[in-house]
Amino acid sequence: MDHLDVAQEVLDTILGYLGFVASVEIDREASLLNVATNDPKLLIGHRGERMDEIQYLVNRIVQDRIPDAGRFRIDIDHYRATQEHRMIEDAEAVLAQVLSTGVPQKLEPMNSYQRRVIHTHFKDHPEASTWSPSDSARLKRITIMPKKSEN
């Protein structure tokens, strides 16, 4: 039994104790637990905050049982996947403005996971690069800027 199996069992147990009828499936390739339920709003919370708290709690419980377990994410009724897709679309729209004007622009403040998604999405872009400050703030703004031409 690996850490994802333990996580699935823990999450299923927690949801059962809380009275939620849900199924939890493992996506091993993405290191993700997908939760399907008829009442996702209560589990997702405002802007996914409750889902993040559940993810943190389950990760901590699994880390306590298996100290070298890798981290995993939890998605409820594809909320996280939809948000990531929308976030990338918004960043692509800003990129189009940056490329047409040549002026760097900042995105909305994001947490570390969201910034990682954006930086990874643009890391091999031929015409633009991304940057975010290295301070200790929890929420930071990524700057999208055109790459300098090498003439």
Side-chain angles (χ1 to χ4, degrees):
M1 184 178 253
D2 74 354
H3 73 285
L4 290 174
D5 293 320
V6 172
Q8 180 185 34
E9 181 181 300
V10 167
L11 181 56
D12 193 46
T13 301
I14 289 171
L15 295 176
Y17 280 136
L18 293 173
F20 288 94
V21 177
S23 66
V24 180
E25 293 183 1
I26 299 173
D27 179 347
R28 292 188 188 285
E29 196 172 299
S31 198
L32 177 76
L33 298 178
N34 285 306
V35 178
T37 180
N38 291 332
D39 197 9
K41 287 184 181 178
L42 279 173
L43 290 174
I44 294 169
H46 181 68
R47 294 188 175 180
E49 290 170 358
R50 189 162 301 130
M51 179 176 57
D52 289 340
E53 292 163 353
I54 292 168
Q55 176 178 290
Y56 176 79
L57 177 64
V58 175
N59 265 288
R60 291 300 305 243
I61 292 170
V62 171
Q63 289 282 327
D64 190 51
R65 292 185 184 176
I66 307 170
D68 62 343
R71 291 185 160 246
F72 53 88
R73 295 178 304 135
I74 293 176
D75 197 357
I76 299 170
D77 281 354
H78 305 289
Y79 176 84
R80 192 178 303 277
T82 302
Q83 291 303 104
E84 287 174 15
H85 180 72
R86 189 172 298 133
M87 189 173 53
I88 288 171
E89 282 182 339
D90 292 346
E92 287 281 352
V94 170
L95 171 67
Q97 291 177 334
V98 167
L99 294 178
S100 69
T101 65
V103 178
Q105 290 193 27
K106 291 183 178 183
L107 301 177
E108 293 298 314
M110 299 178 183
N111 65 32
S112 62
Y113 176 76
Q114 294 167 327
R115 291 191 309 274
R116 191 173 321 116
V117 168
I118 297 298
H119 285 305
T120 301
H121 179 74
F122 288 114
K123 77 175 183 172
D124 295 324
H125 196 282
E127 300 176 64
S129 61
T130 58
W131 175 86
S132 57
S134 58
D135 60 26
S136 63
R138 192 178 81 76
L139 297 177
K140 300 177 190 176
R141 295 178 70 169
I142 290 178
T143 302
I144 298 178
M145 59 196 121
K147 283 187 178 173
K148 306 243 187 292
S149 60
E150 299 174 19
N151 293 351

